[in-house]
Amino acid sequence: MTDAEHERLDTAESFTALYQRHSDGVLRYFYRRTADPDVAADLCAETFASALHNASQYDPARGTRGQWLYGIARRQLAMFWRRRAVAQRARRRYGIPREPIDQATADELRRTEDILDSAAAIDALKDLADDLRDAVVLRVIDQLDYQEIAAQLGCSAGAARVRVFRGLRQLSEVLK
């Protein structure tokens, strides 16, 4: 373990180093636990988004950056399983079939996730329309589900999903 693993996360370079050192391991961590590459990629992206958003909370006295990051990953996984169980019960209770995402949408989301890992994405957020920026921030940074986003934005869950998708698509176009 290097001394750098105990330094604060207060620069873009220190966060980039964290990502480069741990992204593959975090992705494998999620894949081993979910056996779904798409879910693993989503959880990995959400873990690093949460780490970036909460970088000021990292305390080197409590452990290494990696330990802190895997703590975030464990919480992300626990939230994923809870949300999934709730959603499955609700779908069964109301007889709602699960709607698959078409391949073009899935590919667009994967490309967008890659782009959102960059610091330029934060700057590009400022140029989005308020409703799209708010939806993206609530989903990616605050990690709310679509029902919670809808409640905060005063729209339906479907409209919240569309706003997030459109915002992410616009970000991907700007950051290409």
Side-chain angles (χ1 to χ4, degrees):
M1 200 110 17
T2 66
D3 288 338
E5 271 291 296
H6 291 281
E7 293 174 2
R8 299 201 63 75
L9 288 170
D10 55 2
T11 65
E13 292 81 20
S14 62
F15 190 82
T16 299
L18 176 76
Y19 180 83
Q20 290 172 342
R21 181 176 178 121
H22 294 287
S23 60
D24 288 342
V26 171
L27 183 61
R28 285 191 303 275
Y29 169 84
F30 287 126
Y31 182 73
R32 284 190 305 268
R33 285 154 179 83
T34 65
D36 184 324
D38 293 328
V39 169
D42 288 346
L43 290 170
C44 185
E46 290 184 22
T47 295
F48 280 98
S50 179
L52 178 61
H53 182 68
N54 296 301
S56 65
Q57 295 178 10
Y58 168 66
D59 180 4
R62 297 183 66 199
T64 66
R65 294 176 186 180
Q67 291 166 333
W68 175 73
L69 182 66
Y70 277 92
I72 293 170
R74 283 190 297 278
R75 286 187 295 282
Q76 290 292 332
L77 187 61
M79 285 189 307
F80 164 77
W81 290 121
R82 280 193 302 271
R83 283 187 297 231
R84 186 174 180 169
V86 168
Q88 287 174 340
R89 283 193 303 271
R91 278 195 304 274
R92 281 193 302 269
R93 184 176 327 131
Y94 297 110
I96 300 170
R98 184 172 182 170
E99 300 271 339
I101 294 176
D102 63 84
Q103 190 60 45
T105 302
D107 292 343
E108 182 72 23
L109 290 173
R110 278 189 210 94
R111 284 192 301 277
T112 303
E113 282 176 5
D114 293 339
I115 291 167
L116 282 175
D117 287 332
S118 72
I122 295 169
D123 290 333
L125 271 172
K126 296 173 190 171
D127 295 331
L128 288 179
D130 290 345
D131 63 332
L132 300 182
R133 181 181 54 248
D134 292 345
V136 169
V137 167
L138 290 170
R139 179 68 181 139
V140 175
I141 296 175
D142 296 342
Q143 301 173 7
L144 300 181
D145 64 32
Y146 292 105
Q147 291 292 347
E148 294 168 316
I149 295 169
Q152 287 203 21
L153 297 180
C155 63
S156 70
R161 186 179 299 274
V162 168
R163 289 179 189 180
V164 170
F165 177 77
R166 287 180 180 162
L168 291 174
R169 185 176 60 212
Q170 285 182 20
L171 283 175
S172 72
E173 290 169 3
V174 168
L175 297 171
K176 284 183 182 175

